[in-house]
Amino acid sequence: GAGVSQSPSNKVTEKGKDVELRCDPISGHTALYWYRQRLGQGLEFLIYFQGNSAPDKSGLPSDRFSAERTGESVSTLTIQRTQQEDSAVYLCASSLVAGGPHEQYFGPGTRLTVT
Amino acid sequence: GENVEQHPSTLSVQEGDSAVIKCTYSDSASNYFPWYKQELGKRPQLIIDIRSNVGEKKDQRIAVTLNKTAKHFSLHITETQPEDSAVYFCAAVIVGYGQNFVFGPGTRLSVLP
């Protein structure tokens, strides 16, 4: 079946502009995660959704970052007034349910470049 | 909150040798420990995982060991092959409603032919 998809695959934007990144999880997966991965670095947790609620927003780096999810489907990560330090690959992952040890399936990522 | 450390940050081995990557975690409530492999330019993928009620798990050339008392767990790859070259991430998870994965910083493994 279809895996996790993300769009766009690449985004180049000017400093100060807003960007919106999209994640389509695997159908039926109730948990959805957003991570940031800077070049050559590890996975930085941003936010987690269970259904359309976000129990853990602790990883969002600033109030310029926000995310929402419609039901148990699409999620969007919005970065307002982008800065050069926002340049990174943004990875989305989904897992079947919360409450148990389930594999996270990652999307291909969106490479964001802020010029 | 949970903090996961991972060592070494880079590791080079000769093809056929073994590789060991170690992670330590801080929160004793963590009870699920997956390992993900990320090849260059690709997405992370789960390769093996272990729950806290098990001390060791093996899958062909890959094994993971867990020491709950010391709060560390390790990935062991035997008979390494060039296709094992990748970045490996460990994670510690407190399984429950708020299933937040805390990842280690990663280990870049290079298997030299």
Side-chain angles (χ1 to χ4, degrees):
Chain A
V4 178
S5 62
Q6 291 185 245
S7 61
S9 55
N10 281 282
K11 176 71 176 179
V12 180
T13 190
E14 292 181 351
K15 178 182 173 181
K17 300 280 189 180
D18 297 352
V19 294
E20 191 172 277
L21 313 180
R22 176 185 169 112
C23 173
D24 284 87
I26 293 173
S27 178
H29 280 196
T30 63
L32 186 147
Y33 306 78
W34 282 99
Y35 297 91
R36 179 168 69 179
Q37 188 173 34
R38 292 196 167 104
L39 187 62
Q41 302 296 310
L43 299 168
E44 178 186 358
F45 169 78
L46 297 179
I47 191 169
Y48 152 77
F49 287 91
Q50 170 56 38
N52 63 1
S53 67
D56 190 346
K57 300 180 181 180
S58 63
L60 293 176
S62 75
D63 59 8
R64 296 186 296 105
F65 288 72
S66 63
E68 60 181 29
R69 187 180 184 194
T70 306
E72 293 184 351
S73 59
V74 173
S75 175
T76 55
L77 176 69
T78 301
I79 309 173
Q80 296 178 309
R81 305 180 303 282
T82 51
Q83 304 293 313
Q84 288 184 330
E85 61 262 28
D86 298 334
S87 296
V89 174
Y90 289 81
L91 287 162
C92 171
S94 70
S95 65
L96 188 59
V97 293
H102 292 284
E103 177 178 356
Q104 288 195 4
Y105 292 85
F106 283 83
T110 293
R111 182 175 300 277
L112 175 66
T113 304
V114 181
T115 61
Chain B
E2 176 66 275
N3 181 53
V4 177
E5 296 184 355
Q6 186 171 346
H7 298 281
S9 57
T10 60
L11 178 61
S12 293
V13 299
Q14 290 294 135
E15 183 177 356
D17 288 351
S18 295
V20 180
I21 303 169
K22 181 176 176 179
C23 287
T24 59
Y25 60 99
S26 60
D27 195 332
S28 57
S30 291
N31 52 9
Y32 173 61
F33 308 92
W35 286 88
Y36 285 77
K37 174 183 179 182
Q38 186 176 29
E39 297 179 33
L40 187 63
K42 297 188 176 180
R43 70 193 78 183
Q45 290 189 302
L46 179 72
I47 55 170
I48 195 167
D49 57 12
I50 191 168
R51 300 188 66 172
S52 60
N53 59 348
V54 176
E56 183 174 357
K57 184 177 179 181
K58 189 172 182 180
D59 182 5
Q60 300 182 341
R61 298 187 295 108
I62 296 173
V64 57
T65 58
L66 171 65
N67 183 326
K68 287 188 297 182
T69 303
K71 291 190 284 190
H72 66 69
F73 56 110
S74 299
L75 177 71
H76 305 254
I77 306 174
T78 58
E79 301 171 24
T80 53
Q81 301 168 4
E83 53 264 38
D84 294 330
S85 296
V87 178
Y88 292 81
F89 295 98
C90 63
V93 187
I94 301 174
V95 171
Y97 188 83
Q99 193 179 0
N100 180 12
F101 282 56
V102 179
F103 283 88
T107 296
R108 183 174 300 278
L109 173 66
S110 299
V111 179
L112 308 174

